[in-house]
Amino acid sequence: MKISVAIATYNGASYLREQLESISNQRHLPFELVACDDGSTDETIEVLTTYSQTAPFPVRLYRNETNLGYAEN
């Protein structure tokens, strides 16, 4: 069974590292992590980019050109 994890981010850098570490520490790793950022102005993109370089699964990062809000993101 293949499991994808999807996360929507917006200025969540202060909590994101802990969340990503938790995903990596699961007994059954996901097939991939798909992250969609809604125009963060903090270090969220940098955190995701750095994490993707060492994650034990592919990390796909998408960035909205404009802020869509939590429901549309």
Side-chain angles (χ1 to χ4, degrees), residues 3-16:
I3 297 172
S4 294
V5 172
I7 58 173
T9 59
Y10 178 71
N11 289 340
S14 58
Y15 304 101
L16 189 54

Side-chain angles (χ1 to χ4, degrees), residues 3 8 45 51 62 67 72:
I3 297 172
I45 297 300
Y51 177 74
Y62 299 91
N67 184 275
E72 295 296 318

Side-chain angles (χ1 to χ4, degrees), residues 14-70:
S14 58
Y15 304 101
L16 189 54
R17 287 177 186 90
E18 184 177 353
Q19 183 179 15
L20 296 171
E21 183 178 322
S22 175
I23 294 168
S24 291
N25 289 332
Q26 295 300 306
R27 183 173 177 188
H28 299 286
L29 293 177
F31 173 72
E32 67 180 349
L33 172 77
V34 179
C36 187
D37 184 73
D38 201 23
S40 291
T41 56
D42 67 356
E43 296 178 355
T44 296
I45 297 300
E46 290 81 6
V47 170
L48 287 165
T49 301
T50 299
Y51 177 74
S52 71
Q53 296 169 358
T54 60
F57 40 78
V59 176
R60 304 184 200 300
L61 175 57
Y62 299 91
R63 298 174 74 181
N64 297 331
E65 291 187 20
T66 59
N67 184 275
L68 302 176
Y70 69 90

